[in-house]
Amino acid sequence: QVQLVESGGGLVQAGGSLRLSCVASGGIFSLSTMGWYRQAPGKQRELVANIRGAAYTNYADSVKGRFTISRDNAKKTVYLQMNSLKPEDTAVYYCNCLLGSFDNWGQGTQVTVSS
């Protein structure tokens, strides 16, 4: 129902910042729960943060206080501002859109944090 394209990943040193973007097409974006997940080498995909409606947010304990998820419904875009990055944040970050029973994923963008 929804196509998602992530961008903004890259290589950054510990303590630095990155801003991820995910642009959605199709579906009713404003009614969707949007989320960011990540998958580190050798680990399963895990929830980083999600947002429902305008401002109902949820964060993994490991990123709380460092990452901020937000959305722009007019641009059909969800963002993940990542500050104070740590090497353990290194992973492929995936955008997710959940609308009813429909679960859509982007292709992922790599984030690498060097020490």
Side-chain angles (χ1 to χ4, degrees):
Q1 184 177 7
V2 178
Q3 295 180 345
L4 306 170
V5 180
E6 304 99 327
S7 63
L11 175 65
V12 65
Q13 62 184 358
S17 298
L18 284 173
R19 185 187 185 224
L20 306 183
S21 299
C22 172
V23 180
S25 61
I28 306 176
F29 180 83
S30 63
L31 299 180
S32 302
T33 297
M34 303 298 300
W36 287 98
Y37 292 71
R38 67 187 182 188
Q39 187 167 15
K43 295 184 178 180
Q44 291 194 333
R45 191 173 300 182
E46 64 177 356
L47 173 69
V48 177
N50 60 19
I51 180 168
R52 179 173 60 85
Y56 295 100
T57 58
N58 181 57
Y59 297 92
D61 288 340
S62 60
V63 307
K64 194 173 299 181
R66 300 188 297 121
F67 292 8
T68 303
I69 188 170
S70 61
R71 69 196 300 165
D72 186 333
N73 289 338
K75 296 181 179 179
K76 294 185 177 181
T77 302
V78 62
Y79 305 94
L80 184 67
Q81 178 66 45
M82 304 185 293
N83 298 326
S84 302
L85 283 162
K86 304 175 180 179
E88 49 264 43
D89 295 318
T90 296
V92 177
Y93 284 70
Y94 296 90
C95 180
N96 172 259
C97 176
L98 178 63
L99 179 61
S101 61
F102 295 96
D103 193 15
N104 300 279
W105 296 89
Q107 83 289 348
T109 184
Q110 185 171 351
V111 172
T112 303
V113 184
S114 64
S115 60

